[in-house]
Amino acid sequence: MGRPGAYLSVGRRAHELRPVLERTRDYDELYEQLSPELQREQASRCMMCGVAFCQAGTGFGGARPSGCPLHNLIPEWNDLVWRGLWREAAERLALTSPLPEFTSRVCPALCEAACNLGCHDEPETIHDNERAISDWEWAHGGPRRFAPAAEGAPRVAVVGSGPAGLAAAWELARRGAHVSVVERADRAGGLLTYGIPNMKLPKDVVARRVRLMEELGVEFVLGTDAAERDVASGLLAGFDAVVVAVGARVPRGLSAAGFEEGLAAGGVVFAVDYLEASTRALLDGGEPAVSAAGLDVVVIGGGDTGNDCLGTAVRQGARSVAQLEFLPRPADPGEPGAVRWPEWPSTLKTDYGQAEAIALMGGECRSWAVDTREVLLGADGAVRGLAVADLDWSDGRPEPVAGSVRELPAQLVLVACGFTGPERAVLEALGVAAGARGLPACEPGSHRAAGTDAVYVAGDARTGSSLVVSAIADAMACAGEVAAGLGL
């Protein structure tokens, strides 16, 4: 242990956001990291607990589990950072985490919610420490290379290049397989490239990892849709195993009247489609296919994706922005009813996009316990607003509040209500049957698709929509199962 008792004298100091008026003028990275010296001091706050809940990742009997799904050896690399042993810290991190440059930017830090220090003080800056380790590693040559697959090694196809696909491909290549990643988009990265805004995850960070994987022998086949029968047949015939890691891309819609008409008119857009259009315009140049410029924008959904939509709409020059949440307002930290350590805290959080909208639009942009009743169309057929009503959750179930129906102006409605599961077309083409909740049917206790010899499912495609870190953890487990089956 590097510095016993440091948590008693050193307070938490995390990364800072760039000023609102500065960062909303561009799509550059949001955060300003601490210097290596200050990060070392923050790492010294780790208590090196005998039972490190931060790395547990299995929950503690409550409804909202926390802790790292990858089981990162957090106290160990915290100690190495404090001692200035950055290379050793990177090697320790690499034992469990294949893609720390992503998780250290977009993970909500389940580990920090479970930090023992957080029981009575502010938790350790685990998220920032991981980012500092990863940044140091890339600045000093990048992750440790491994030998390309030997001639005659098993061939594995990975369908999808999002976080689960990249993690599975990396691990299988590291274990000695010839890996080909099949991606229907024009760039690799999946959600990491087109689903998360550049200010939150710069796209050169994704491209850097893809280049390294190509250098190590991983093949990326872009613009190729495995849902096409001839492509799927070629994968099944030409590879020893196929890993389906296509995510849970099917968005959840609205039951509101006029929803389908709004989609057809172009004034109602699913959140990921909107974010993808913005990122494509940034990478390719030109104007986005869907823009909030000069419009009244309403985002339906209060999660991370909804927050990303707010931040993007503000940068595009929206006239006004509002965010609607179906559930009641969360408790403030410390209020009665707030979830306490070590469970994940379901307390009120104001993220970067929400803070930007509040600062620039003149007040709170969020409304809780609101139900969207109807998408309103004008005489020209274009979306002009929403009819909404308040909900009463006092009995634990939503009941409409009498007389609360009102109209909100909106020419662009962004639906960020989560996802229902993977797209069926690619699963059917590869012979994967449907199971419970629309998810793939897999053999009990296995990632192998039921009734197949060598088709496996990983990440959100298997579990349903989750966090990037959870998808990576599931993909690593799947890669281990595939490798064992191939004798790697």
Side-chain angles (χ1 to χ4, degrees):
M1 182 172 178
R3 192 178 176 190
Y7 63 91
L8 297 173
S9 58
V10 178
R12 176 185 169 97
R13 182 175 175 182
H15 66 263
E16 295 181 354
L17 287 163
R18 294 160 55 208
V20 169
L21 291 178
E22 174 189 317
R23 70 179 191 255
T24 52
R25 294 193 183 103
D26 58 45
Y27 292 86
D28 295 341
E29 192 159 15
L30 293 164
Y31 309 110
E32 296 175 343
Q33 299 300 123
L34 301 183
S35 67
E37 292 74 22
L38 289 175
Q39 204 65 62
R40 286 182 57 202
E41 185 177 59
Q42 286 300 303
S44 77
R45 296 181 70 236
C46 181
M47 298 192 298
M48 306 297 288
C49 307
V51 178
F53 285 171
C54 59
Q55 67 187 47
T58 55
F60 309 98
R64 302 176 182 87
S66 55
C68 180
L70 285 167
H71 305 293
N72 284 333
L73 305 173
I74 294 165
E76 297 181 32
W77 45 255
N78 275 340
D79 179 56
L80 292 167
V81 168
W82 156 243
R83 293 195 286 157
L85 301 175
W86 292 96
R87 186 170 303 282
E88 290 82 353
E91 291 173 353
R92 182 64 56 177
L93 177 57
L95 292 177
T96 54
S97 178
L99 306 170
E101 68 269 33
F102 302 145
T103 53
S104 64
R105 285 175 167 86
V106 303
C107 180
L110 304 176
C111 50
E112 292 188 16
C115 173
N116 283 324
L117 184 55
C119 181
H120 52 79
D121 196 351
E122 292 188 282
E124 168 71 18
T125 56
I126 301 169
H127 202 243
D128 287 355
N129 297 347
E130 180 187 17
R131 165 75 184 271
I133 294 169
S134 178
D135 285 353
W136 184 95
E137 183 178 46
W138 280 102
H140 292 79
R144 176 178 289 182
R145 273 61 170 171
F146 48 78
E151 186 176 351
R155 301 182 70 226
V156 181
V158 176
V159 181
S161 65
L166 291 181
W170 175 269
E171 180 64 9
L172 285 163
R174 189 187 69 82
R175 290 182 180 231
H178 286 289
V179 180
S180 295
V181 179
V182 179
E183 169 60 57
R184 70 181 178 185
D186 58 342
R187 291 181 175 89
L191 167 76
L192 300 170
T193 295
Y194 286 127
I196 300 174
N198 191 75
M199 55 272 194
K200 195 169 175 180
L201 177 59
K203 303 313 159 193
D204 58 352
V205 173
V206 183
R208 179 180 64 185
R209 172 62 68 165
V210 172
R211 287 194 301 270
L212 174 59
M213 293 176 70
E214 289 177 324
E215 174 190 321
L216 296 175
V218 176
E219 177 189 24
F220 285 85
V221 184
L222 305 178
T224 302
D225 191 351
E228 297 178 3
R229 294 291 177 177
D230 57 339
V231 175
S233 298
L235 296 177
L236 294 172
F239 289 85
D240 299 292
V242 177
V243 176
V244 183
V246 294
R249 181 60 196 270
V250 179
R252 180 176 288 109
L254 302 176
S255 59
F259 170 65
E260 296 295 339
E261 292 82 355
L263 282 174
V268 176
V269 180
F270 286 113
V272 171
D273 295 334
Y274 170 68
L275 296 173
E276 178 178 345
S278 175
T279 299
R280 282 190 179 280
L282 182 66
L283 296 176
D284 297 337
E287 294 300 316
V290 182
S291 175
L295 303 180
D296 299 303
V297 179
V298 176
V299 179
I300 301 176
D304 288 342
T305 302
N307 172 73
D308 290 338
C309 287
L310 285 180
T312 301
V314 166
R315 283 162 177 76
Q316 289 180 343
R319 178 166 55 200
S320 69
V321 294
Q323 185 175 28
L324 308 181
E325 172 58 71
F326 186 77
L327 296 172
R329 182 185 185 278
D332 288 317
E335 280 187 357
V339 174
R340 299 291 300 275
W341 178 94
E343 293 183 18
W344 178 252
S346 60
T347 53
L348 181 63
K349 174 186 176 184
T350 299
D351 212 331
Y352 76 93
Q354 295 153 346
E356 292 164 1
I358 291 169
L360 299 178
M361 300 294 178
E364 181 60 74
C365 65
R366 295 171 290 180
S367 298
W368 291 269
V370 174
D371 183 28
T372 302
R373 295 295 190 84
E374 184 177 359
V375 177
L376 304 173
L377 304 179
D380 60 355
V383 173
R384 65 174 179 83
L386 297 175
V388 302
D390 294 330
L391 298 172
D392 181 358
W393 283 87
S394 58
D395 291 334
R397 63 179 65 184
E399 295 292 341
V401 176
S404 67
V405 177
R406 60 194 182 279
E407 293 188 10
L408 298 178
Q411 299 82 52
L412 179 60
V413 178
L414 302 174
V415 181
C417 297
F419 302 88
T420 61
E423 297 178 359
R424 284 298 312 162
V426 65
L427 297 173
E428 291 171 356
L430 292 167
V432 179
R437 298 185 296 121
L439 298 174
C442 291
E443 299 292 345
S446 172
H447 290 76
R448 183 164 59 85
T452 70
D453 293 328
V455 178
Y456 297 80
V457 189
D460 287 5
R462 187 181 78 91
T463 65
S465 182
S466 66
L467 300 172
V468 166
V469 66
S470 300
I472 291 173
D474 191 72
M476 293 292 284
C478 178
E481 186 177 344
V482 174
L486 296 175
L488 295 174

